[in-house]
């Protein structure tokens, strides 16, 4: 049964900014978590057009917003409006979580923690001997590169389809401590890379609902993935994606994107509430209920 939520003059504000933002799942999991904790907070979606970002942030400060999440297209554009940016967010060049601390906005990136969480909790491996192959060179790939670096992968290969965007991706890390931790490759090089992969990550949107029949790899390309490798798709609907189905046929271990979504949200909530314990299981369950998915299938 849903507990009654009473919004009063004391209710504290959290939220997510994006454009568009109406499909964001963050309000679902955060409001369930806040209700579960019995805290007088509400988490709202704020659609903010790029040209209004600075005004919106100033308005948030004026009305006492405690913190907010950031989604497309503001993850990089927000940087100039923050007083402090944590080293992890600086290294990636993108912020997904902002909190108000001492009357200033502080930005960090919890996508890295979210990405790593299912790898660390499920598979205790010595990553120092392992090879990661990352498909795609967009925003999410940045957090995945940082995550793989944090885990200490021996080799990290980022594979993209567009030479110019790949080079831009490469150069965007020039001032980052992570710049020499990975190599970039064109899509044609996949036949050489896939047989070496211990971790294969899909950060492209290929295969995302409603285009569920697609995969970033052909069956022939996937046939070269070593059995026992980990295939990790950042997409969380459908569950499983075509990419993960192909990988499982090869005897690979499959991880979908739901846990990353849950764990990056849990990490953000810990920052805003200044507490270590947040109801992660309730957050995961809220998303599964909302998306109409069970544990598997
Ligand atoms: P993005 O910035 O638009 O990047 C998408 C990347 O995919 C780009 O490098 C793009 O290549 C590549 N791509 C797109 N279509 C392709 C194709 N047909 N063939 C080869 N490459 C293709 O998007 P994003 O923010 O990184 O998000 C990517 C995916 O990750 C989305 O499905 C998103 O839902 C998911 N995601 C999940 C989580 C989570 O918590 N689970 C978090 C973040 C993102 P070009 O550069 O050449 O255009």
């Amino acid at each position: 049964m849903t507990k009654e939520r009473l919004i009063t003059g004391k209710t504290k504000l959290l939220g997510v900014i994006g454009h568009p933002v109406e499909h964001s799942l963050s309000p679902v999991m955060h409001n369930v978590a806040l209700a579960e904790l019995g805290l007088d907070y509400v988490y709202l979606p704020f659609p903010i057009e790029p040209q209004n970002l600075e005004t919106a942030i100033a308005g948030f400060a004026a009305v006492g917003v405690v913190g907010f999440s950031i989604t497309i297209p503001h993850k990089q554009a927000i940087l100039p409006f923050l007083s402090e940016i944590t080293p992890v967010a600086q290294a990636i060049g993108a912020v997904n979580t902002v909190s108000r601390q001492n009357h200033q906005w502080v930005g960090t990136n919890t996508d890295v923690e979210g990405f790593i969480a299912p790898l660390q909790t499920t598979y205790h491996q010595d990553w120092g001997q392992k090879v990661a192959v990352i498909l795609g060179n967009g925003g999410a790939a940045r957090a995945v590169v940082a995550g793989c670096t944090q885990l200490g992968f021996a080799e990290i290969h980022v594979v993209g389809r567009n030479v110019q965007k790949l080079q831009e991706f490469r150069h965007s890390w020039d001032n980052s401590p992570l710049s020499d931790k990975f190599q970039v490759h064109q899509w044609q090089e996949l036949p050489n890379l896939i047989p070496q992969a211990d971790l294969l990550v899909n950060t492209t949107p290929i295969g995302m609902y409603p285009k569920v029949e697609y995969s970033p790899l052909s069956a022939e390309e996937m046939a070269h993935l070593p059995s026992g490798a980990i295939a990790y798709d950042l997409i969380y609907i459908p569950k499983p994606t075509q990419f993960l189905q192909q990988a499982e046929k090869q005897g690979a271990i499959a991880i979908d994107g739901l846990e990353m979504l849950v764990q990056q949200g849990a990490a953000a909530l810990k920052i805003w509430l200044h507490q270590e314990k947040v109801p992660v299981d309730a957050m995961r369950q809220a998303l599964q209920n909302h998306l109409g998915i069970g544990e598997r299938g």
Side-chain angles (χ1 to χ4, degrees), residues 14-294:
L14 294 167
V16 52
I17 64 166
H19 192 261
V21 80
E22 56 262 35
H23 300 297
S24 172
L25 297 172
S26 295
V28 173
M29 67 173 160
H30 283 303
N31 284 312
V32 164
L34 293 164
E36 184 86 10
L37 289 166
L39 294 175
D40 192 10
Y41 282 74
V42 65
Y43 183 104
L44 297 173
F46 295 104
I48 292 168
E49 291 185 26
Q51 69 272 21
N52 294 332
L53 183 59
E54 186 171 10
T55 316
I57 304 312
F60 278 4
V63 300
V65 167
V66 174
F68 55 96
S69 314
I70 307 181
T71 186
I72 290 171
H74 304 310
K75 285 188 177 185
Q76 285 167 292
I78 191 83
L79 295 171
F81 308 122
L82 304 173
S83 303
E84 198 183 318
I85 299 161
T86 60
V88 65
Q90 272 177 26
I92 304 170
V95 162
N96 80 330
T97 301
V98 173
S99 59
R100 194 81 180 147
Q101 295 177 24
N102 302 320
H103 307 288
Q104 295 193 318
W105 292 123
V106 178
T108 190
N109 196 307
T110 64
D111 281 337
V112 182
E113 202 175 322
F115 168 71
I116 288 176
L119 289 169
Q120 277 181 321
T121 51
T122 322
Y123 310 101
H124 301 282
Q125 303 214 9
D126 177 11
W127 306 105
Q129 306 295 319
K130 308 284 181 187
V131 174
V133 175
I134 301 165
L135 307 175
N137 50 262
R142 307 185 79 80
V144 173
V145 166
C148 290
T149 306
Q150 210 162 302
L151 290 174
F153 271 85
E155 291 177 36
I156 301 169
H157 302 280
V158 176
V159 189
R161 61 173 172 176
N162 179 314
V163 187
Q164 198 188 331
K165 285 191 181 172
L166 257 181
Q167 288 315 320
E168 284 168 14
F169 182 85
R170 167 81 273 170
H171 291 305
S172 69
W173 295 78
D174 284 351
N175 296 323
S176 163
L178 309 187
S179 69
D180 61 348
K181 305 282 188 203
F182 68 94
Q183 297 168 42
V184 295
H185 306 265
Q186 291 184 49
W187 213 256
Q188 302 88 281
E189 295 176 56
L190 275 174
N192 297 329
L193 293 168
I194 291 176
Q196 305 174 43
D198 298 294
L199 173 68
L200 177 65
V201 189
N202 176 33
T203 79
T204 79
I206 307 170
M208 187 163 65
Y209 180 84
K211 296 186 171 176
V212 300
E213 67 278 28
Y214 292 101
S215 165
L217 297 185
S218 65
E220 197 186 326
E221 286 168 328
M222 187 63 98
H224 297 287
L225 184 70
S227 67
I230 298 171
Y232 192 150
D233 200 336
L234 264 47
I235 296 171
Y236 39 81
I237 192 142
K239 183 185 175 83
T241 56
Q242 182 66 24
F243 171 79
L244 291 183
Q245 290 181 47
Q246 289 171 327
E248 282 187 315
K249 270 192 204 141
Q250 284 305 120
I253 299 157
I255 303 178
D256 66 55
L258 191 76
E259 196 60 18
M260 174 173 172
L261 184 67
V262 172
Q263 297 289 348
Q264 64 77 30
L269 201 56
K270 287 178 192 175
I271 294 170
W272 297 323
L273 302 179
H274 307 285
Q275 65 183 51
E276 260 314 298
K277 271 187 85 84
V278 295
V280 180
D281 292 342
M283 294 169 84
R284 186 184 302 109
Q285 192 61 55
L287 287 180
Q288 285 173 341
N289 293 348
H290 183 79
L291 294 170
I293 49 180

